[in-house]
Amino acid sequence: TMRPVKMIGQSIQKVKNGDIREQLPIEGENEIWQLAQEYNEMLKAIQEAQKEVERQHDEIVESLKMKRRAEREVPDQCAFYL
């Protein structure tokens, strides 16, 4: 089995490269494994925050699309009254 510090180090490198999906397997109860568990919880919080940012982004994009559609329709409606 791989040593916990090495596993954490490899996972940190993956996170630096943008991969936050992988959780570390917890294989013990000493301080290092407790650190690994905390690390997993941190990654989970980052994943949840990323999902929230993506959700907000999608809402903003949809709002902008609706605004553009409405702006395109306004000239047509104004021409009706001329």
Side-chain angles (χ1 to χ4, degrees):
T1 63
M2 192 180 303
R3 300 182 69 186
V5 173
K6 186 171 184 163
M7 285 179 18
I8 294 169
Q10 287 179 344
S11 181
I12 288 170
Q13 291 302 315
K14 289 179 182 179
V15 170
K16 286 168 125 178
N17 292 324
D19 183 1
I20 60 171
R21 298 170 291 155
E22 186 177 323
Q23 296 282 306
L24 298 172
I26 306 302
E27 300 175 0
E29 297 181 16
N30 66 28
E31 286 181 336
I32 298 296
W33 291 114
Q34 290 173 9
L35 176 64
Q37 180 62 41
E38 292 291 328
Y39 179 82
N40 282 344
E41 291 173 17
M42 179 188 67
L43 287 180
K44 186 175 179 183
I46 291 170
Q47 290 169 341
E48 290 171 5
Q50 184 177 32
K51 286 178 186 176
E52 179 62 18
V53 167
E54 290 170 359
R55 185 192 65 75
Q56 290 176 0
H57 173 267
D58 291 345
E59 282 182 8
I60 291 168
V61 168
E62 188 57 34
S63 176
L64 290 172
K65 286 179 183 178
M66 290 173 61
K67 180 180 176 189
R68 287 187 192 127
R69 281 194 294 267
E71 289 171 347
R72 283 194 305 264
E73 291 173 3
V74 169
D76 294 339
Q77 293 173 359
C78 291
F80 176 76
Y81 294 106
L82 294 176

Coordinates of all heavy atoms in Angstrom, one line a residue:
T1 N 0.8 -1.2 0.0 CA 0.0 0.0 0.0 C 0.9 1.2 0.0 O 2.0 1.2 0.5 CB -0.9 0.0 1.2 OG1 -0.1 0.1 2.4 CG2 -1.8 -1.2 1.3
M2 N 0.3 2.3 -0.5 CA 1.0 3.6 -0.6 C 1.0 4.3 0.7 O 0.0 4.2 1.4 CB 0.4 4.4 -1.7 CG 1.3 5.6 -2.0 SD 0.6 6.7 -3.3 CE 0.3 5.6 -4.7
R3 N 2.0 5.0 1.0 CA 2.1 5.7 2.3 C 1.2 7.0 2.2 O 1.0 7.6 1.2 CB 3.5 6.1 2.6 CG 4.4 4.8 2.7 CD 5.8 5.1 3.1 NE 5.8 5.6 4.4 CZ 6.9 6.1 5.0 NH1 8.0 6.1 4.4 NH2 6.8 6.5 6.2
P4 N 0.5 7.3 3.3 CA -0.5 8.4 3.3 C 0.1 9.7 2.9 O -0.6 10.5 2.1 CB -1.0 8.5 4.7 CG 0.0 7.7 5.6 CD 0.7 6.7 4.7
V5 N 1.3 10.1 3.3 CA 1.8 11.4 2.9 C 2.1 11.4 1.4 O 1.8 12.4 0.7 CB 3.2 11.7 3.7 CG1 3.8 13.0 3.2 CG2 2.9 11.8 5.2
K6 N 2.5 10.3 0.8 CA 2.7 10.3 -0.6 C 1.4 10.4 -1.3 O 1.3 11.1 -2.4 CB 3.5 9.0 -1.0 CG 3.8 8.9 -2.5 CD 4.7 7.8 -2.8 CE 5.1 7.8 -4.2 NZ 6.3 7.0 -4.5
M7 N 0.4 9.7 -0.8 CA -1.0 9.7 -1.4 C -1.5 11.2 -1.4 O -2.0 11.7 -2.4 CB -1.9 8.8 -0.7 CG -1.7 7.4 -1.0 SD -2.9 6.2 -0.1 CE -4.2 7.2 0.4
I8 N -1.3 11.8 -0.3 CA -1.8 13.2 -0.2 C -1.1 14.1 -1.2 O -1.6 14.9 -1.8 CB -1.7 13.7 1.3 CG1 -2.7 13.0 2.2 CG2 -2.0 15.2 1.4 CD1 -2.4 13.2 3.7
G9 N 0.2 13.9 -1.2 CA 1.1 14.7 -2.2 C 0.6 14.5 -3.6 O 0.5 15.5 -4.4
Q10 N 0.4 13.3 -4.0 CA -0.1 13.0 -5.4 C -1.4 13.6 -5.6 O -1.7 14.2 -6.7 CB -0.1 11.5 -5.6 CG 1.3 10.9 -5.8 CD 1.2 9.4 -6.0 OE1 0.2 8.7 -5.8 NE2 2.4 8.8 -6.4
S11 N -2.3 13.5 -4.6 CA -3.6 14.1 -4.8 C -3.5 15.7 -4.9 O -4.3 16.3 -5.7 CB -4.5 13.8 -3.6 OG -5.8 14.3 -3.8
I12 N -2.6 16.3 -4.1 CA -2.4 17.7 -4.2 C -2.0 18.1 -5.6 O -2.5 19.1 -6.2 CB -1.4 18.2 -3.2 CG1 -2.1 18.1 -1.8 CG2 -0.9 19.6 -3.5 CD1 -1.1 18.4 -0.6
Q13 N -1.1 17.3 -6.2 CA -0.7 17.6 -7.6 C -1.9 17.5 -8.6 O -2.0 18.4 -9.5 CB 0.4 16.6 -8.1 CG 1.7 16.8 -7.3 CD 2.3 18.2 -7.5 OE1 2.3 18.8 -8.6 NE2 2.7 18.8 -6.4
K14 N -2.8 16.6 -8.4 CA -4.0 16.4 -9.2 C -4.9 17.7 -9.1 O -5.4 18.2 -10.0 CB -4.7 15.2 -8.9 CG -4.1 13.9 -9.4 CD -4.9 12.7 -9.0 CE -4.2 11.4 -9.5 NZ -4.9 10.2 -9.1
V15 N -5.0 18.1 -7.8 CA -5.9 19.3 -7.6 C -5.2 20.5 -8.2 O -5.9 21.3 -8.8 CB -6.0 19.5 -6.1 CG1 -6.7 20.9 -5.8 CG2 -6.9 18.4 -5.5
K16 N -3.9 20.6 -8.2 CA -3.2 21.8 -8.8 C -3.5 21.8 -10.3 O -3.5 22.8 -10.9 CB -1.7 21.7 -8.6 CG -1.3 22.1 -7.2 CD 0.1 21.7 -7.0 CE 1.0 22.8 -6.6 NZ 2.4 22.3 -6.3
N17 N -3.7 20.6 -10.9 CA -4.0 20.5 -12.3 C -5.5 20.5 -12.6 O -5.9 20.3 -13.8 CB -3.4 19.2 -12.9 CG -1.9 19.2 -12.9 OD1 -1.3 20.3 -13.1 ND2 -1.2 18.1 -12.6
G18 N -6.3 20.8 -11.6 CA -7.7 21.0 -11.8 C -8.6 19.8 -11.5 O -9.8 19.9 -11.7
D19 N -8.0 18.7 -11.1 CA -8.8 17.5 -10.9 C -9.1 17.4 -9.4 O -8.3 17.1 -8.6 CB -8.0 16.2 -11.3 CG -8.8 14.9 -11.1 OD1 -10.0 15.0 -10.7 OD2 -8.3 13.9 -11.5
I20 N -10.4 17.7 -9.0 CA -10.8 17.6 -7.6 C -11.7 16.5 -7.3 O -12.4 16.5 -6.3 CB -11.4 19.0 -7.2 CG1 -12.6 19.3 -8.0 CG2 -10.3 20.1 -7.2 CD1 -13.4 20.5 -7.5
R21 N -11.8 15.5 -8.2 CA -12.8 14.5 -8.1 C -12.4 13.3 -7.2 O -13.2 12.7 -6.5 CB -13.1 13.9 -9.5 CG -13.8 14.9 -10.4 CD -13.8 14.3 -11.8 NE -12.5 14.2 -12.3 CZ -12.1 13.4 -13.2 NH1 -12.9 12.6 -13.8 NH2 -10.8 13.4 -13.6
E22 N -11.1 13.1 -7.1 CA -10.7 11.8 -6.4 C -10.6 12.0 -4.9 O -10.0 13.0 -4.4 CB -9.3 11.5 -6.9 CG -8.8 10.1 -6.4 CD -7.4 9.8 -7.0 OE1 -7.2 10.0 -8.2 OE2 -6.6 9.2 -6.3
Q23 N -11.2 11.1 -4.1 CA -11.0 11.1 -2.7 C -10.0 10.1 -2.3 O -9.7 9.1 -3.0 CB -12.4 10.7 -2.1 CG -13.5 11.6 -2.3 CD -13.5 12.9 -1.4 OE1 -13.4 12.8 -0.2 NE2 -13.5 14.0 -2.1
L24 N -9.3 10.4 -1.2 CA -8.2 9.5 -0.7 C -8.9 8.4 0.1 O -9.8 8.6 0.9 CB -7.3 10.3 0.2 CG -6.5 11.4 -0.4 CD1 -5.7 12.2 0.6 CD2 -5.5 10.9 -1.5
P25 N -8.4 7.1 -0.1 CA -8.9 6.1 0.7 C -8.3 6.2 2.1 O -7.1 6.5 2.3 CB -8.4 4.8 0.0 CG -7.2 5.2 -0.7 CD -7.4 6.7 -1.1
I26 N -9.1 6.1 3.1 CA -8.6 6.2 4.5 C -8.3 4.8 5.0 O -9.2 3.9 5.1 CB -9.7 6.9 5.4 CG1 -10.1 8.2 4.8 CG2 -9.2 7.0 6.8 CD1 -8.9 9.2 4.6
E27 N -7.1 4.5 5.4 CA -6.6 3.2 5.8 C -6.2 3.1 7.2 O -5.5 2.1 7.6 CB -5.6 2.7 4.8 CG -6.0 2.7 3.4 CD -4.9 2.4 2.4 OE1 -3.7 2.2 2.8 OE2 -5.2 2.3 1.2
G28 N -6.5 4.0 8.0 CA -6.0 4.0 9.4 C -6.7 5.1 10.2 O -7.6 5.8 9.8
E29 N -6.2 5.3 11.5 CA -6.8 6.2 12.4 C -5.8 7.2 13.0 O -6.2 8.0 13.8 CB -7.6 5.5 13.5 CG -8.7 4.7 12.9 CD -9.5 4.0 14.1 OE1 -9.3 4.4 15.2 OE2 -10.2 3.1 13.7
N30 N -4.5 7.1 12.6 CA -3.5 8.0 13.2 C -3.7 9.4 12.6 O -4.6 9.7 11.8 CB -2.1 7.4 13.0 CG -1.7 7.4 11.6 OD1 -2.1 8.2 10.8 ND2 -0.8 6.5 11.3
E31 N -2.8 10.3 13.1 CA -2.9 11.7 12.7 C -2.9 11.9 11.2 O -3.6 12.8 10.7 CB -1.8 12.5 13.4 CG -2.0 12.8 14.8 CD -0.9 13.6 15.4 OE1 0.2 13.7 14.8 OE2 -1.1 14.3 16.4
I32 N -2.0 11.2 10.5 CA -1.9 11.4 9.1 C -3.2 11.0 8.4 O -3.7 11.7 7.5 CB -0.7 10.6 8.5 CG1 0.6 11.1 9.1 CG2 -0.7 10.6 7.0 CD1 1.0 12.5 8.8
W33 N -3.8 9.9 8.8 CA -5.1 9.4 8.2 C -6.2 10.4 8.5 O -7.1 10.7 7.7 CB -5.4 8.0 8.6 CG -4.5 7.0 8.0 CD1 -3.6 6.2 8.6 CD2 -4.3 6.8 6.6 NE1 -2.9 5.5 7.7 CE2 -3.3 5.8 6.4 CE3 -4.9 7.3 5.4 CZ2 -2.9 5.3 5.2 CZ3 -4.5 6.8 4.2 CH2 -3.5 5.8 4.1
Q34 N -6.1 11.0 9.7 CA -7.1 12.0 10.1 C -6.9 13.2 9.2 O -7.9 13.8 8.7 CB -6.9 12.4 11.6 CG -7.4 11.3 12.5 CD -7.1 11.7 14.0 OE1 -6.7 12.8 14.3 NE2 -7.2 10.7 14.9
L35 N -5.7 13.6 8.9 CA -5.4 14.7 7.9 C -6.0 14.3 6.6 O -6.6 15.2 5.9 CB -3.9 14.9 7.9 CG -3.4 16.0 6.8 CD1 -4.0 17.3 7.2 CD2 -1.9 16.0 6.8
A36 N -5.8 13.1 6.1 CA -6.3 12.7 4.8 C -7.8 12.8 4.8 O -8.4 13.2 3.8 CB -5.9 11.2 4.5
Q37 N -8.5 12.4 5.9 CA -9.9 12.6 6.0 C -10.4 14.0 5.9 O -11.3 14.4 5.2 CB -10.5 12.0 7.3 CG -12.0 12.0 7.5 CD -12.7 11.3 6.4 OE1 -12.3 10.2 6.0 NE2 -13.8 11.9 5.9
E38 N -9.7 14.9 6.6 CA -9.9 16.4 6.5 C -9.7 16.9 5.1 O -10.5 17.7 4.6 CB -9.0 17.1 7.5 CG -9.4 16.9 9.0 CD -10.7 17.4 9.4 OE1 -11.2 18.5 8.8 OE2 -11.4 16.8 10.3
Y39 N -8.7 16.4 4.5 CA -8.4 16.7 3.1 C -9.6 16.3 2.2 O -10.0 17.1 1.3 CB -7.1 16.0 2.7 CG -6.7 16.3 1.2 CD1 -6.0 17.4 0.9 CD2 -7.0 15.4 0.2 CE1 -5.6 17.7 -0.4 CE2 -6.6 15.6 -1.1 CZ -5.9 16.7 -1.4 OH -5.5 17.0 -2.7
N40 N -10.1 15.1 2.4 CA -11.2 14.6 1.6 C -12.4 15.6 1.8 O -13.1 15.9 0.9 CB -11.6 13.2 2.0 CG -10.7 12.2 1.4 OD1 -10.0 12.4 0.4 ND2 -10.8 11.0 1.9
E41 N -12.6 16.0 3.0 CA -13.8 16.8 3.3 C -13.6 18.2 2.7 O -14.5 18.8 2.2 CB -14.0 17.0 4.9 CG -14.5 15.7 5.5 CD -14.5 15.7 7.0 OE1 -14.5 16.7 7.6 OE2 -14.6 14.6 7.6
M42 N -12.3 18.7 2.6 CA -12.0 19.9 2.0 C -12.3 19.8 0.5 O -12.9 20.7 -0.1 CB -10.6 20.3 2.2 CG -10.2 21.6 1.5 SD -8.4 22.0 1.5 CE -7.8 20.6 0.5
L43 N -11.9 18.7 -0.1 CA -12.2 18.5 -1.6 C -13.7 18.5 -1.8 O -14.2 19.1 -2.8 CB -11.5 17.2 -2.1 CG -10.0 17.2 -2.2 CD1 -9.5 15.9 -2.7 CD2 -9.6 18.4 -3.1
K44 N -14.4 17.8 -1.0 CA -15.9 17.8 -1.1 C -16.5 19.2 -1.0 O -17.3 19.5 -1.8 CB -16.5 16.9 -0.1 CG -18.0 16.7 -0.2 CD -18.5 15.7 0.7 CE -20.0 15.5 0.5 NZ -20.7 14.7 1.5
A45 N -16.0 20.0 -0.1 CA -16.5 21.4 0.0 C -16.1 22.2 -1.3 O -17.0 23.0 -1.7 CB -15.9 22.1 1.2
I46 N -15.0 22.0 -1.8 CA -14.6 22.7 -3.1 C -15.5 22.2 -4.2 O -15.9 23.0 -5.0 CB -13.1 22.4 -3.4 CG1 -12.2 23.1 -2.4 CG2 -12.8 22.9 -4.8 CD1 -10.7 22.7 -2.5
Q47 N -15.8 20.9 -4.3 CA -16.7 20.4 -5.3 C -18.1 21.1 -5.2 O -18.7 21.5 -6.2 CB -16.8 18.9 -5.2 CG -15.5 18.2 -5.6 CD -15.6 16.7 -5.3 OE1 -16.4 16.2 -4.5 NE2 -14.7 15.9 -5.9
E48 N -18.6 21.1 -4.0 CA -19.9 21.7 -3.8 C -19.9 23.2 -4.1 O -20.8 23.7 -4.8 CB -20.3 21.5 -2.3 CG -20.7 20.1 -2.0 CD -20.9 19.8 -0.6 OE1 -20.9 20.7 0.2 OE2 -21.1 18.6 -0.2
A49 N -18.8 23.9 -3.8 CA -18.7 25.3 -4.1 C -18.6 25.5 -5.6 O -19.2 26.4 -6.2 CB -17.5 26.0 -3.4
Q50 N -17.9 24.6 -6.3 CA -17.8 24.7 -7.7 C -19.1 24.5 -8.4 O -19.5 25.2 -9.4 CB -16.7 23.7 -8.2 CG -16.5 23.8 -9.7 CD -15.4 22.8 -10.2 OE1 -15.3 21.7 -9.6 NE2 -14.6 23.1 -11.2
K51 N -19.9 23.5 -7.9 CA -21.2 23.3 -8.5 C -22.1 24.5 -8.3 O -22.9 24.8 -9.2 CB -21.9 22.0 -7.8 CG -21.3 20.7 -8.2 CD -21.9 19.6 -7.5 CE -21.3 18.3 -7.8 NZ -21.8 17.2 -7.1
E52 N -22.0 25.2 -7.2 CA -22.8 26.4 -6.9 C -22.4 27.5 -7.9 O -23.3 28.2 -8.4 CB -22.7 26.8 -5.5 CG -23.4 28.1 -5.1 CD -24.9 27.9 -5.3 OE1 -25.5 26.8 -5.4 OE2 -25.6 29.0 -5.4
V53 N -21.1 27.7 -8.1 CA -20.6 28.7 -9.0 C -21.2 28.3 -10.4 O -21.6 29.2 -11.2 CB -19.1 28.8 -9.0 CG1 -18.6 29.6 -10.2 CG2 -18.6 29.4 -7.7
E54 N -21.1 27.1 -10.8 CA -21.6 26.7 -12.2 C -23.1 26.9 -12.3 O -23.6 27.4 -13.3 CB -21.3 25.2 -12.4 CG -19.8 25.0 -12.6 CD -19.4 23.5 -12.7 OE1 -20.3 22.6 -12.5 OE2 -18.2 23.2 -12.9
R55 N -23.8 26.7 -11.2 CA -25.3 26.9 -11.2 C -25.6 28.4 -11.4 O -26.4 28.8 -12.2 CB -25.9 26.4 -9.9 CG -27.5 26.5 -9.9 CD -28.0 26.3 -8.5 NE -27.6 27.3 -7.5 CZ -28.1 28.5 -7.5 NH1 -29.0 28.9 -8.4 NH2 -27.7 29.4 -6.6
Q56 N -24.9 29.2 -10.6 CA -25.0 30.7 -10.7 C -24.7 31.2 -12.1 O -25.3 32.0 -12.7 CB -24.2 31.4 -9.6 CG -24.8 31.2 -8.2 CD -23.9 31.8 -7.2 OE1 -22.9 32.4 -7.4 NE2 -24.3 31.7 -5.9
H57 N -23.6 30.6 -12.6 CA -23.2 31.0 -14.0 C -24.3 30.7 -15.0 O -24.6 31.5 -15.9 CB -21.9 30.3 -14.4 CG -21.5 30.4 -15.8 ND1 -21.8 29.6 -16.8 CD2 -20.7 31.4 -16.4 CE1 -21.3 30.0 -17.9 NE2 -20.7 31.1 -17.7
D58 N -24.8 29.5 -14.9 CA -25.9 29.1 -15.8 C -27.1 30.0 -15.7 O -27.7 30.4 -16.7 CB -26.3 27.6 -15.6 CG -25.3 26.6 -16.0 OD1 -24.3 27.0 -16.7 OD2 -25.4 25.5 -15.5
E59 N -27.4 30.4 -14.5 CA -28.6 31.3 -14.3 C -28.3 32.7 -14.9 O -29.2 33.3 -15.5 CB -28.8 31.6 -12.8 CG -29.5 30.5 -12.1 CD -29.8 30.7 -10.6 OE1 -29.5 31.9 -10.1 OE2 -30.2 29.8 -9.9
I60 N -27.1 33.2 -14.8 CA -26.7 34.5 -15.4 C -26.7 34.4 -16.9 O -27.3 35.3 -17.5 CB -25.3 34.9 -14.9 CG1 -25.4 35.3 -13.4 CG2 -24.8 36.1 -15.7 CD1 -24.0 35.5 -12.7
V61 N -26.2 33.3 -17.4 CA -26.2 33.1 -18.9 C -27.7 33.1 -19.4 O -28.0 33.8 -20.4 CB -25.5 31.9 -19.3 CG1 -25.7 31.5 -20.8 CG2 -24.0 32.0 -19.1
E62 N -28.5 32.4 -18.7 CA -29.9 32.3 -19.1 C -30.6 33.7 -19.0 O -31.4 34.1 -19.9 CB -30.7 31.2 -18.3 CG -32.1 31.0 -18.8 CD -32.2 30.5 -20.2 OE1 -31.2 29.8 -20.7 OE2 -33.1 30.9 -20.9
S63 N -30.3 34.4 -18.0 CA -30.9 35.7 -17.8 C -30.4 36.7 -18.9 O -31.2 37.4 -19.4 CB -30.4 36.3 -16.4 OG -30.9 37.6 -16.3
L64 N -29.2 36.6 -19.3 CA -28.7 37.4 -20.4 C -29.3 37.0 -21.7 O -29.7 37.9 -22.5 CB -27.2 37.3 -20.5 CG -26.4 38.0 -19.4 CD1 -24.9 37.6 -19.5 CD2 -26.6 39.5 -19.4
K65 N -29.5 35.7 -21.9 CA -30.2 35.3 -23.2 C -31.6 35.9 -23.2 O -32.1 36.3 -24.2 CB -30.3 33.8 -23.2 CG -29.0 33.1 -23.6 CD -29.1 31.6 -23.6 CE -27.8 30.9 -23.9 NZ -28.0 29.4 -23.8
M66 N -32.4 35.8 -22.1 CA -33.7 36.3 -22.0 C -33.7 37.9 -22.3 O -34.6 38.4 -23.0 CB -34.3 36.0 -20.7 CG -34.7 34.5 -20.5 SD -35.2 34.1 -18.8 CE -36.7 35.1 -18.7
K67 N -32.7 38.5 -21.7 CA -32.6 40.0 -21.9 C -32.4 40.3 -23.4 O -33.0 41.2 -23.9 CB -31.5 40.6 -21.0 CG -31.3 42.0 -21.2 CD -30.1 42.5 -20.3 CE -29.9 44.0 -20.6 NZ -28.7 44.5 -20.0
R68 N -31.5 39.6 -24.0 CA -31.2 39.8 -25.4 C -32.5 39.5 -26.3 O -32.8 40.3 -27.2 CB -30.1 38.9 -25.9 CG -28.7 39.4 -25.4 CD -27.6 38.6 -26.0 NE -26.4 38.9 -25.3 CZ -25.6 38.0 -24.8 NH1 -25.8 36.8 -24.9 NH2 -24.5 38.4 -24.2
R69 N -33.2 38.5 -26.0 CA -34.5 38.2 -26.7 C -35.4 39.3 -26.6 O -36.1 39.8 -27.5 CB -35.1 36.9 -26.2 CG -34.4 35.6 -26.8 CD -35.3 34.4 -26.6 NE -35.4 34.0 -25.2 CZ -34.6 33.2 -24.5 NH1 -33.6 32.6 -25.2 NH2 -34.8 32.9 -23.3
A70 N -35.6 39.8 -25.3 CA -36.5 40.9 -25.1 C -36.1 42.2 -25.8 O -36.9 42.9 -26.4 CB -36.6 41.2 -23.6
E71 N -34.8 42.5 -25.8 CA -34.3 43.6 -26.5 C -34.5 43.5 -28.0 O -34.8 44.5 -28.7 CB -32.8 43.9 -26.2 CG -32.5 44.3 -24.8 CD -31.1 44.3 -24.5 OE1 -30.2 43.7 -25.2 OE2 -30.7 44.9 -23.4
R72 N -34.4 42.3 -28.6 CA -34.7 42.2 -30.0 C -36.1 42.4 -30.4 O -36.5 42.8 -31.4 CB -34.2 40.8 -30.5 CG -32.7 40.7 -30.6 CD -32.3 39.4 -31.4 NE -32.8 38.2 -30.8 CZ -32.2 37.4 -30.0 NH1 -30.9 37.7 -29.7 NH2 -32.7 36.3 -29.5
E73 N -37.0 42.0 -29.4 CA -38.5 42.1 -29.7 C -39.0 43.5 -29.6 O -39.9 43.9 -30.2 CB -39.2 41.2 -28.7 CG -39.0 39.7 -29.0 CD -39.6 38.9 -27.9 OE1 -40.3 39.4 -27.0 OE2 -39.4 37.6 -28.0
V74 N -38.3 44.4 -28.8 CA -38.7 45.8 -28.6 C -38.8 46.5 -29.9 O -39.9 47.2 -30.1 CB -37.9 46.5 -27.5 CG1 -38.1 48.0 -27.5 CG2 -38.1 45.8 -26.2
P75 N -37.8 46.6 -30.8 CA -38.0 47.3 -32.0 C -39.2 46.8 -32.8 O -39.9 47.7 -33.4 CB -36.6 47.1 -32.7 CG -35.7 46.8 -31.6 CD -36.5 46.0 -30.6
D76 N -39.4 45.6 -32.9 CA -40.5 45.0 -33.6 C -41.8 45.6 -33.0 O -42.8 45.9 -33.8 CB -40.6 43.5 -33.6 CG -39.3 42.9 -34.3 OD1 -38.8 43.6 -35.2 OD2 -39.0 41.8 -34.0
Q77 N -42.0 45.6 -31.7 CA -43.2 46.1 -31.1 C -43.3 47.6 -31.3 O -44.4 48.1 -31.5 CB -43.2 45.7 -29.6 CG -43.2 44.3 -29.3 CD -43.1 43.9 -27.9 OE1 -42.8 44.8 -27.0 NE2 -43.1 42.7 -27.5
C78 N -42.3 48.3 -31.3 CA -42.3 49.8 -31.5 C -42.8 50.1 -33.0 O -43.5 51.0 -33.2 CB -41.0 50.4 -31.3 SG -40.5 50.4 -29.5
A79 N -42.3 49.3 -33.9 CA -42.7 49.5 -35.3 C -44.2 49.3 -35.5 O -44.8 49.9 -36.4 CB -41.9 48.5 -36.2
F80 N -44.8 48.5 -34.7 CA -46.2 48.2 -34.8 C -47.0 49.5 -34.5 O -48.1 49.8 -35.1 CB -46.6 47.2 -33.8 CG -48.1 46.9 -33.7 CD1 -48.7 46.1 -34.7 CD2 -48.9 47.4 -32.7 CE1 -50.1 45.9 -34.6 CE2 -50.2 47.1 -32.6 CZ -50.8 46.4 -33.6
Y81 N -46.5 50.4 -33.7 CA -47.2 51.6 -33.3 C -46.9 52.8 -34.2 O -47.5 53.8 -34.1 CB -46.8 52.0 -31.9 CG -47.3 51.0 -30.9 CD1 -46.5 50.1 -30.2 CD2 -48.7 50.9 -30.6 CE1 -47.0 49.2 -29.3 CE2 -49.2 50.0 -29.6 CZ -48.3 49.1 -29.0 OH -48.8 48.2 -28.1
L82 N -46.0 52.6 -35.2 CA -45.7 53.7 -36.1 C -46.7 53.8 -37.2 O -47.3 53.0 -37.7 CB -44.3 53.6 -36.7 CG -43.2 53.7 -35.6 CD1 -41.8 53.4 -36.3 CD2 -43.2 55.1 -35.0

